[in-house]
Amino acid sequence: MPPDAGILIVDDHEDTLYALESALAPLGYRVGRATSGDQALKQALRGHVGLLLLDVRMPQGGGLDVVRYMRRLRQTQRIPVILLTGFGPDLALSSTAFALGVADVVTQPVDPWALRTKVRYLYDTHQRHLALETEVRELRARLREHTGADGHRPSPALPHPDAPPRDHAPLPPPRGVRAGECDDLEKGRT
């Protein structure tokens, strides 16, 4: 997802789109709009969606159908979704939505302050998660450069000039002699 990915509001009523855009304007995020589930899917597949506010009931693909389709595709399955409904609390809808991985189900009319708080949290958390995934991929690539495909560090062609010879290890000091005394004995300073 590009860094300019924004929030997509999807509703088939122009007045609802305008009200939601006005409620989210103080956040300063790029806000797009779509009037059908098909339009929403096309924009999400282009990679320009960082969060989706989606009406449950729309002609040409309702909100749950859009979420079902998005969750099957790798590139859209992690986009946070807030479902909007004008029909009040519905246990069956909430149960289905949460089983699909929807972040929240909000009843309209929405409280602008509460909506901004939810959107800011979900959008920022998703962006941080994507940034961490990118960093992990970069670190893994750098690690592969240094270790090789099998995960083992390649042996150098020639030993380091300051490394001790490989044919024998340094001898431990004789019993009863401290390490510093060995140096003195070798130099003839007893």
Side-chain angles (χ1 to χ4, degrees), residues 7-11 13-35 53 84 108 110 112 115-116:
I7 297 166
L8 181 63
I9 303 170
V10 187
D11 199 298
H13 295 102
E14 190 69 29
D15 55 336
T16 304
L17 289 170
Y18 178 75
L20 292 170
E21 282 177 331
S22 298
L24 297 176
L27 293 176
Y29 300 135
R30 187 178 62 79
V31 177
R33 50 166 59 193
T35 56
L53 284 169
L84 302 168
Q108 294 176 338
V110 299
L115 182 65
R116 281 192 296 270

Side-chain angles (χ1 to χ4, degrees), residues 21-112:
E21 282 177 331
S22 298
L24 297 176
L27 293 176
Y29 300 135
R30 187 178 62 79
V31 177
R33 50 166 59 193
T35 56
S36 71
D38 290 339
Q39 289 177 359
L41 284 172
K42 287 176 185 173
Q43 288 190 40
L45 289 171
R46 287 186 197 119
H48 298 291
V49 177
L51 183 133
L52 196 61
L53 284 169
L54 184 61
D55 188 20
V56 172
R57 300 190 200 281
M58 290 181 296
Q60 302 175 9
L64 289 175
D65 294 331
V66 172
V67 174
R68 279 186 193 99
Y69 188 79
M70 287 176 57
R71 295 306 184 233
R72 287 185 284 174
L73 301 174
R74 184 174 173 264
Q75 66 203 57
T76 59
Q77 64 188 194
R78 289 191 176 166
I79 296 174
V81 176
I82 297 175
L83 282 180
L84 302 168
T85 180
F87 295 101
D90 181 349
L91 185 58
L93 169 66
S94 296
S95 176
T96 303
F98 292 133
L100 290 170
V102 168
D104 202 359
V105 178
V106 176
T107 305
Q108 294 176 338
V110 299
D111 172 9

